[in-house]
Amino acid sequence: MKSRAPWGYDAPVFGLFDRLGIGSAKRREAKARKLELGGDLDGAAALYVEAERPEDAARVLLLRADAESDPEKRMVICAQAARVGEGSEVGAEAKRRKARLNFDLVRSTAGGAMHGELTRVGAELEEVGDWQTAAEAYALAGDREAEIRVLKEA
């Protein structure tokens, strides 16, 4: 809500509190919830970050990724969610989704130049504990040693 300042321009009623940081995180969190419910997932994620709620920001980014039809853009959004939610369960899930999307994209692209990419994706999948998919990536890359090593983990 705005009030009319005595010197003639509009100023927010709680502008001083925002500048002092009093209660601003709670207000940002509440505003983020409203934006999320209204479908503005990008805005909600940004406000959750400002409110120091990285797990909520990562969760909202994963919702945004689910709504994205372009797999490459979806992978980028998952990478953002993994960075924002690092150290949380939501961040780990974002990292797993990104690795699986990366594998699907590489697998759908034919060509001998993809050997190195498949090996890299296999290592990424191995890092997030997706042993079966990592083994599949290594098998497609022709790396039998890595495939066997990962299958032993599974």
Side-chain angles (χ1 to χ4, degrees):
M1 182 174 251
K2 293 189 174 204
S3 66
R4 198 75 167 157
W7 46 86
Y9 67 90
D10 288 335
V13 172
F14 297 107
L16 176 63
F17 293 123
D18 285 333
R19 283 188 286 264
L20 295 175
I22 300 171
S24 60
K26 289 289 185 194
R27 279 198 301 279
R28 285 185 183 118
E29 185 179 346
K31 173 93 171 152
R33 271 195 219 104
K34 286 181 184 178
L35 289 175
E36 181 181 354
L37 291 173
D40 183 2
L41 300 178
D42 291 330
L47 280 174
Y48 278 131
V49 169
E50 287 179 23
E52 297 178 11
R53 302 286 305 200
E55 198 166 326
D56 286 323
R59 177 184 54 77
V60 168
L61 283 169
L62 285 179
L63 289 173
R64 171 74 178 88
D66 289 342
E68 181 59 56
S69 60
D70 180 7
E72 290 177 3
K73 288 180 183 176
R74 185 181 297 165
M75 191 171 67
V76 169
I77 296 168
C78 285
Q80 290 172 338
R83 275 193 308 277
V84 168
E86 191 172 2
S88 70
E89 183 56 38
V90 177
E93 174 60 25
K95 200 171 182 180
R96 278 190 292 276
R97 283 196 200 180
K98 179 196 166 284
R100 288 183 189 131
L101 276 167
N102 198 2
F103 174 67
D104 289 341
L105 286 172
V106 171
R107 184 176 50 181
S108 69
T109 305
M114 301 316 298
H115 170 77
E117 192 65 19
L118 281 165
T119 302
R120 188 188 62 73
V121 169
E124 189 176 349
L125 287 160
E126 192 175 350
E127 183 182 323
V128 298
D130 192 345
W131 310 116
Q132 290 298 115
T133 313
E136 190 178 343
Y138 287 133
L140 289 171
D143 188 345
R144 297 293 176 228
E145 284 182 29
E147 180 187 5
I148 292 168
R149 182 188 73 242
V150 170
L151 285 173
K152 286 180 183 177
E153 291 291 328

